[in-house]
Amino acid sequence: MRFPKRPLKITFISSFFLLLIFGLSSHLRAPESAKKQANLATTEKANKYIFDREAAALYRSQQQQLQLALQDYFRKAVSSGQLVGAGVSIVKGDSIVIAEGYGKKDIKSGDGVNGHTIFRLGSLSKGFAGILAADLIKQGKLSREAKVRDYIPDFQLGDRRNTDKITLTNLLSHTAGAPYHSYTNLVEAGLPLQDIASRFVQVKPISKPGELYSYQNALFALSELMISKASGKQMSEYLLERFFKPLEMCSTFMDHKSLQSSENIALPHTRRRSGWRTNNLNDHYYNAIAAGGISANAMDMGRWMRFLLGHRPDIMDKNALAIAFRPNVEIPGRSKYYQRWSGHESSYYGFGWRIHHFRDKASESQKTIWHHGGSVNNYRNEIALYPQDDLGICVLLNSNSRLSSTVIPDLYKIVQEIYRKTAVNMAANNTQESEPSI
């Protein structure tokens, strides 16, 4: 049976027109949809621009207020004779907000300090050693419980049974059991660490390993020998390759010659009746870099603090950094200067770092400070990081000033007040702008 051809033709033509109409309608709707997407993208871009502009304005306002407040604070300290010069760095989040200098780097010449003026760090160096040890532990090249005797066969403190219990953790947290500052005089005399290690056989322990906090320089410095053996490199070489170069800490030195040849250096000063006297640089602690042999400026310390706060995970992640900031032993007593800081509750020692817990009066919450002080060759320095606030403060002084005992809480208060005030003002301005006009 044959079907007529005409109906097929009609059906084909009808289908063609339906497809044509559908296509035209889709084509007509497409520009409208694209227009909506374009408008949405433009709105998002505009909002981001407004946000970025407001954030930049807020940053500049806070930075300017901090600069003025710090200028006033250190101008008063210098004019009252409390100090000679200071290199100051403040880090907030991923930004080095302040890296400035105040006062004089040499009272004779009258040359001023700036953010690139180099200071000796003293025991702030211990924090570098602690982070380096944490890095090796994270890599599996070293253990927290590594026996000192396995790395330094000539070392002995007490009898053999006692010596075999002393670990890397004991060295880095001042809990090996030796009397306070044992053989610091030998470090300052420039003896090689290997020779100092062999002399501990003559020291009588005051406690079992891990039981008592007793601050050390010589014992802490022996960690340098363990780090070198575990890494296969001298500690100075390893620090340079692992941290200083990638962090662009170009003015951080670990030897006496480099410091002497630097053009922009803050010379040490001691107090005299009529004011301050300039002193010569000595060569103490370059045989014990881990304990006190590093020098740096405010800018480099800003880069270091930004890294410690976790803003350079490409170099070392927060989990690895946390190894150094783990409390190992409580620091007893209430008489130390940092134990008198407002809100202080307790203090501990990690790997080259003091860990303080304090009660913040403004927020009524408990907070943590990673802190250390340093003193060498009449330089006096302080570093403190507030992880909950994503804040770091470092102050380098070229005089053994009493201001060092309060400068950290002083600057913390200044920073908190400025950031709190500007945040409130910004919120108030945004609220006013968002209200409809009547």
Side-chain angles (χ1 to χ4, degrees), residues 347-360:
S347 293
Y348 301 84
Y349 206 93
F351 281 178
W353 290 91
R354 296 186 181 102
I355 300 103
H356 309 306
H357 294 147
F358 74 105
R359 184 69 54 179
D360 188 296

Side-chain angles (χ1 to χ4, degrees), residues 59-296:
Y59 177 87
R60 287 194 298 270
S61 174
Q62 291 167 338
Q63 185 183 45
Q64 289 168 3
Q65 290 182 63
L66 269 177
Q67 287 172 337
L68 292 173
L70 295 183
Q71 285 171 9
D72 184 58
Y73 178 89
F74 285 102
R75 179 186 57 78
K76 289 177 180 177
V78 171
S79 62
S80 63
Q82 293 184 69
L83 57 85
V84 180
V88 181
S89 43
I90 294 178
V91 172
K92 182 67 174 173
D94 194 25
S95 297
I96 302 172
V97 184
I98 297 290
E100 302 285 353
Y102 307 94
K104 306 298 181 184
K105 60 184 181 182
D106 182 356
I107 203 73
K108 288 182 179 179
S109 67
D111 293 337
V113 177
N114 59 40
H116 298 281
T117 303
I118 301 168
F119 294 72
R120 293 198 63 186
L121 300 184
S123 285
L124 268 59
S125 306
K126 291 181 171 70
F128 290 85
I131 296 296
L132 198 54
D135 183 51
L136 289 169
I137 290 168
K138 185 67 174 179
Q139 294 181 50
K141 294 181 179 180
L142 194 57
S143 167
R144 291 176 56 91
E145 303 308 317
K147 308 296 183 185
V148 177
R149 187 68 177 260
D150 291 342
Y151 289 79
I152 313 172
D154 292 340
F155 174 74
Q156 184 172 333
L157 177 59
D159 59 26
R160 182 62 183 264
R161 181 180 296 180
N162 186 78
T163 302
D164 287 344
K165 293 178 182 177
I166 301 173
T167 67
L168 174 70
T169 292
N170 297 138
L171 297 186
L172 292 174
S173 60
H174 307 292
T175 58
Y180 179 72
H181 270 296
S182 293
Y183 286 151
T184 289
N185 60 319
L186 299 184
V187 174
E188 294 184 350
L191 269 68
L193 290 179
Q194 199 71 47
D195 292 352
I196 295 174
S198 66
R199 297 199 183 196
F200 271 95
V201 68
Q202 303 171 34
V203 176
K204 184 178 180 180
I206 58 173
S207 71
K208 294 179 181 179
E211 286 187 351
L212 182 68
Y213 171 82
S214 177
Y215 192 83
Q216 306 290 322
N217 281 313
L219 277 171
F220 189 98
L222 297 187
S223 66
E224 185 173 332
L225 298 178
M226 299 181 72
I227 288 170
S228 295
K229 286 194 175 183
S231 65
K233 299 177 181 180
Q234 292 297 315
M235 182 174 166
S236 57
E237 181 185 2
Y238 194 28
L239 275 173
L240 187 66
E241 293 179 1
R242 186 69 183 89
F243 298 131
F244 297 163
K245 283 185 177 179
L247 288 171
E248 299 181 354
M249 296 173 64
C250 302
S251 298
T252 300
F253 306 124
M254 294 165 282
D255 64 283
H256 187 54
K257 185 178 180 181
S258 295
L259 188 68
Q260 281 185 313
S261 61
S262 300
E263 294 182 1
N264 190 0
I265 179 172
L267 292 175
H269 294 77
T270 53
R271 188 180 291 279
R272 60 181 182 181
R273 288 182 180 180
S274 57
W276 296 96
R277 179 181 62 193
T278 306
N279 293 107
N280 295 324
L281 294 168
N282 65 39
D283 60 357
H284 296 170
Y285 285 91
Y286 294 110
N287 59 326
I289 293 169
I294 301 178
S295 305

Side-chain angles (χ1 to χ4, degrees), residues 412-423:
Y412 177 74
K413 184 179 179 182
I414 289 171
V415 172
Q416 290 296 85
E417 287 179 351
I418 288 173
Y419 275 79
R420 191 178 297 114
K421 182 178 65 176
T422 52

